[in-house]
Amino acid sequence: MIVGIDAGGTLIKVAYTENGTLHFDKYPIAEIQQVASWVNDLSDSDICITGGKSGVLLSLLDKKALEMVEFEATHLGVQFLLEKMGRDDDSYLLTNVGTGTSIHCVENNQQERIGGTGIGGGTLVGLSRLLTGVMDYEEMVALARKGSRDRIDLKVKHIYEGKTPPISGELTASNFGNKIFEVAHELSKEELLAAVIGLVGETVSTVSVHAAKQCNNSTIIYIGSSFFHNPLLKEVVESYTVLRGAVPLFLENGEYSGAVGAMSVL
Ligand code: ATP
Ligand code: MG
C-alpha cells in the first residue's frame, strides 16, 4: 500500500491507494497515536509524511517513512487534483485555509510561499466557540448557514447614508462593526456564527486577491479543511473574490492536497 499523510495543526489527512483505488481519511490531531498504530500495523507499505506534526507522527512509528516539506507536498497534490478535474493550470495563486492560512504563488509549476494570515480555520472554531459555546465543528457550520450578518456587520452603504458610496455599498466596512451592543442580548448563535465565518472568509479572500496581484495571476485556488461541509465560507470567499476581480476555484478533495502530494513522491 502507498500512503501519504499530512499531519496538520488540527487534522491528520491520510491518502492511500489500495488495489488501484484512491482513498481519503481524516482524524483529529488528538488521535495521532491511533493513526500511528494503523500505519505500524500495515504489512507491506510505503509511507511519506508531511505537515507541521510530521515529526511527532514519525516519532510514533516503528517503521521507516519519508518526510517532506508541507509546501512542496501541497503543491504536488494540487497539481494532481487539478488534473483529476481535467484542468492543466500551471500558474495560479494557492490559498490553503487550514488552522492558519498560507498563501503561495505558483508560476510555471514552481511554488513560492508569499504570505499568509493568522485568520483561518482555527479562528473560525475558536471565536465561534468563545461567542456561542458551540464546540462541535459540524454543528457550528450547520447553524452558521441559517444566520444573517445584517445586525452584526457594518456595510459601506450604512456609513454612506443617503449618498452614493465611491465603492460598492455591499462591501463590508467593518466586521462586527454594526451597533451590536444595542442588540447584543438578542443576537442568536446563528447570527454570531455567520458573522465569524464572514470575518474569516472576507479576510482570507481579501488577502488572497492582493497576493494574486503580486503574483500576476487572477486565478485563486482555495484548499483546506476549513471549507469542508462549510458552504457559507465557500459562498463568502467566492463572492468576495469575484467582487474584487479575481477568479476563485475550489478543488474537489482540496483538503487532501498535502496527503496526496506526499503519496505521489513514492
Ligand atoms: P495547518 O495546515 O494550519 O497546520 P491543518 O492542516 O490541520 O492545519 P486543515 O485540516 O486544512 O488544517 O483545516 C483545519 C480546519 O478545518 C479547522 O480549523 C476547522 O475550521 C476545519 N474543520 C473541518 N472539519 C473539522 C473537524 N471535524 N474538526 C475540527 N475542525 C474541522
Ligand atoms: Mg495543513
Side-chain angles (χ1 to χ4, degrees), residues 153-222:
D153 290 349
L154 190 74
K155 289 191 171 181
V156 168
K157 69 180 180 193
H158 294 139
I159 298 183
Y160 278 79
E161 228 178 319
K163 270 182 78 177
T164 308
I167 52 173
S168 168
E170 286 310 310
L171 283 167
T172 305
S174 177
N175 296 85
F176 285 85
N178 214 335
K179 294 173 186 143
I180 47 175
F181 293 105
E182 289 176 9
V183 290
H185 57 287
E186 297 171 11
L187 291 173
S188 65
K189 287 182 181 176
E190 287 85 347
E191 287 174 285
L192 289 161
L193 293 166
V196 170
I197 290 186
L199 167 74
V200 172
E202 290 180 1
T203 305
V204 160
S205 45
T206 300
V207 174
S208 298
V209 170
H210 288 298
K213 288 198 179 116
Q214 183 186 334
C215 174
N216 289 319
N217 215 298
S218 58
T219 301
I220 303 178
I221 297 182
Y222 291 101

